[in-house]
Each structure stands twice: as structure tokens, then as C-alpha cells.
Amino acid sequence: MILVTGGLGMIGAHTARALADLGQDVLVTGHRRTDVPSFLAGRVAVETLDVTDRDAFLALGDRYDITAIVHLAGSIPGDDPVAFFRTDLTGLANALDAARTWRVRRFAVASSLGVYVGRDEPSWHEELPLPTADLPHLIVAFKKAVEPLTTHSLRGSGVEPVVLRIGTVWGPLVDPESPFFPIPSYLNAGLRGDPPPPLVADEGFDCCYAPDAGRAIALLTTAPSLKHDTYNVSSGQPVTNREFAEALAQIAPGVPDQLQPGGATGPYLDISRLKEETGFAPEFDVRAAVADYAAWRKTNPR
């Protein structure tokens, strides 16, 4: 059985679904979010877990035969950065402790494309040295620290670490008004029939639809063997605001696009390593993703 912490959040839930689609038995945990998405109902085991509770975490191993862990649980920073770091570091330490205690085969953990901040290449690949840079957010700072903490903690344990440098992910279960990414609020305004917030038309960025991101993580978790311990997880190409506006227009004709001229393509994640070792290829382009998301939002709150 594969454990997915944070498995009721957006990326975790789609990872769990992809693992189930691959025929795996899956256990998901949630803490703040306890609603089970319809696409997981009856397909996975569910436990409420505060990952900072070491005893409760390790007790899962008494009830389930866990062979791999995908650690995606995390918190949102408040006013106290030390409290945020303490919470997420404790959760990580407990997950690593569980991996070693249960002698699981593989331990996958969420990092972020933000670790590359400071590199000026048009695409970022895993061999690039990570620069010393002023990081844009506490979450990115923690994700960057997660990488050596994980690989060093598992060294010599027999547990294979898999660091997931996850790109910008959106889709079913995303916060409709996400403060981290403008596309969810843009699409949701249009789907309501409201004028979307303005966006720069040709601004391009890394972007991945959640079902594709979940499938990539599932493939890395279950691959018979891996050559590396670090993988970019995304679509492997940039998309622009214009592409999203055009896709929305197919779903909600008559909604003004609110696009402003200008913009340029920013860096994105190179996923050559992921594709070569797992056979991954995205199933959703922008139009298919927007259509799928619009259908989901008709009957779901987020």
C-alpha cells in the first residue's frame, strides 16, 4: 500500500487517483481538509492525521502494510515564520522517521520549481546548480531545504528518495481565488459570467493540469527503477495567458478576455528526465484542461 500524506489536497488527491488507476492500494491522509473528492470515493483508504503527531503517524504502520510514501502534506504560513517552519519540518521529520521505521521502498517528497529562482535559463533542468537567492515565499524556502534534508536523512537506510520539483499546478480542487497563480480566479470569473481580472496577454509561464501532475508523481513512485533522486514535474512547456483566454472563450463565449498587450515567456521546467524514465507525457493541453475544469466546476465547490 502507498501512503499519500496531504492526499485530500489538490496534488495529493490527483496523485492518489493516478496510483489507484495503476492498480495500487492507496491510503490518503488529511488534516484540515477532510472531504473526499468524488473521484476518490470508494477507491482509497482515508485516515485523519496531523502529521506533526509522531505517535499517530507511526501508528499507521500498525494498521496498514505501507510500502512507499508520497509526502505532500504542508501548511500555509501565518504571521509567524518560525511557527510555519516548525510545523512543516516536524511533519517532514515524522514522515522520514516512518519511512525508515517501516523500511519502505521509496519516499517521494514535494519540492518546488521555486528552487531554481536566480537561474536565468529559459528552461530549468535538474542538473543546474541551485543558486543562493532571495526566495519569493516561505513555502519555497522550506521546499528548497526539504531536498538535502530528505536525501541525507535516507542515506544508507535502503529507502530511495525521490525529490519532486513540482511546477505550477492547477485544476479540480485548486483554490478558485488562489493567491499564488492568477489563472484559477480568471477562469472562475469567466465561468460565472463575470469579467475576469486583467492579465498580460503574452506572459508565459510553467503550468501543469493537476491530473497530469498526479500521474507523473504516481509513475515516479511506482517505476521499477529510477536513475536519479530528483525530478521536475510539470508539462514541460510554457503556456500564455492568451491561450487560457482563448480556451475560456470556447466555454464561455461573450465573456470579455480582459487581456492587456505585452508580456514575455518566463522559465519553465524541462521534464526530459521524467519522460525518459517513466514514459510520462501530458494528456491535457490548455483547451482540454479548461474544458475538463469547467465541467468539474459545474457540480463541485472548488
Side-chain angles (χ1 to χ4, degrees), residues 4 21 54 88 101 103 192 267:
V4 182
D21 288 345
R54 181 179 182 276
D88 279 26
T101 300
R103 299 183 182 277
R192 293 192 304 268

Side-chain angles (χ1 to χ4, degrees), residues 75-77 84-85 134-143 179-180:
S75 63
I76 302 298
F84 163 70
F85 288 133
D134 184 16
L135 298 174
H137 197 276
L138 291 178
I139 293 177
V140 175
F142 179 75
K143 297 300 187 187
F180 302 111

